[in-house]
Amino acid sequence: MVQSVSKVLTVDEFISLYSECDRYELIDGELIEMEPTGPHEQVSALIGRKLNVEIDRQDLSYFIPHRCLIKLLGTETAFRPDVIVLDQTQLINEPLWQQQPVITSGNSIKLIAEVVSTNWQNDYARKAEDYALLGIPEYWIVDYLGIGGREYIGKPKQPTVTICSLREDEYQKQLFQNNDRLISLIFPN
């Protein structure tokens, strides 16, 4: 469940007030209160656990932070992804990282996974567009309830994982349903 709070904030105000509180993100200056369900958190944890196994198996310089914001430069938006995989070798180029868990460059991000909830429109449209513009190589939309629009997950609606792979500045989307094996360019195995 997502609820809007009626105060307009700048990104800097948001970061100073809410960076340590993982219940909020900021979209176009609007403070959005995130109220995930237990099953939503279970799905996020499962994704993180599986990705961590691959990170360790491949001995990659990646990690999944517990709490992290993505500040979109030139906007009043700061997203808080459900799962984000960062390349720790790129963090030296992040101007805010040493003081706050805030990422401003797509070069630091290898993959983002958003678990769909009642605000599914943001995950399928807004975040997909913004993440592509930021240059994030891979974006997973995990719709474990099959609640997204039919234009996104097909008909009949069913649980779907959409893997968006960046080609130039746009995502190529591939849908996975039922027992399909996920195909990831970042984690090919």
Side-chain angles (χ1 to χ4, degrees):
M1 183 175 161
V2 177
Q3 178 182 0
S4 296
V5 179
S6 62
K7 182 177 183 333
V8 176
L9 297 172
T10 67
V11 172
D12 292 335
E13 289 172 328
F14 173 74
I15 290 171
S16 70
L17 295 171
Y18 297 100
S19 64
E20 294 300 315
C21 179
D22 60 4
R23 293 185 54 202
Y24 300 96
E25 64 183 4
L26 189 71
I27 299 177
D28 296 328
E30 184 179 353
L31 187 63
I32 305 294
E33 184 173 356
M34 309 304 292
E35 296 181 17
T37 63
H40 180 281
E41 291 300 291
Q42 282 178 278
V43 171
S44 296
L46 174 67
I47 295 165
R49 189 172 79 230
K50 297 294 185 181
L51 292 176
N52 270 322
V53 167
E54 275 302 297
I55 290 167
D56 285 346
R57 192 182 69 71
Q58 295 181 43
D59 196 28
L60 299 169
S61 62
Y62 305 163
F63 73 102
I64 300 173
H66 172 69
R67 185 174 37 230
C68 184
L69 286 170
I70 300 171
K71 179 180 178 180
L72 301 178
L73 297 176
T75 72
E76 299 303 334
T77 297
F79 293 127
R80 190 178 307 277
D82 292 313
V83 179
I84 183 169
V85 178
L86 298 178
D87 181 345
Q88 60 188 355
T89 66
Q90 295 296 314
L91 295 178
I92 59 170
N93 301 315
E94 288 292 342
L96 303 174
W97 184 255
Q98 293 303 315
Q99 288 76 38
Q100 298 169 315
V102 178
I103 298 297
T104 60
S105 169
N107 292 333
S108 300
I109 304 167
K110 299 312 279 182
L111 181 146
I112 288 179
E114 293 284 6
V115 178
V116 174
S117 55
T118 55
N119 65 335
W120 59 266
Q121 298 91 339
N122 282 337
D123 295 328
Y124 282 103
R126 174 62 190 264
K127 289 182 180 181
E129 184 176 311
D130 285 341
Y131 291 162
L133 289 173
L134 194 55
I136 297 168
E138 200 163 281
Y139 170 43
W140 296 9
I141 305 168
V142 181
D143 192 345
Y144 72 101
L145 293 173
I147 60 175
R150 286 189 302 260
E151 70 265 25
Y152 298 111
I153 63 173
K155 189 176 174 182
K157 290 169 63 166
Q158 60 184 312
T160 303
V161 175
T162 304
I163 295 184
C164 308
S165 301
L166 195 63
R167 302 282 188 265
E168 295 180 21
D169 62 349
E170 291 184 11
Y171 282 129
Q172 302 300 309
K173 299 175 183 172
Q174 187 169 1
L175 278 57
F176 300 89
Q177 298 172 330
N178 300 313
N179 293 320
D180 292 344
R181 184 171 186 260
L182 300 181
I183 299 171
S184 165
L185 297 176
I186 304 299
F187 296 101
N189 297 318

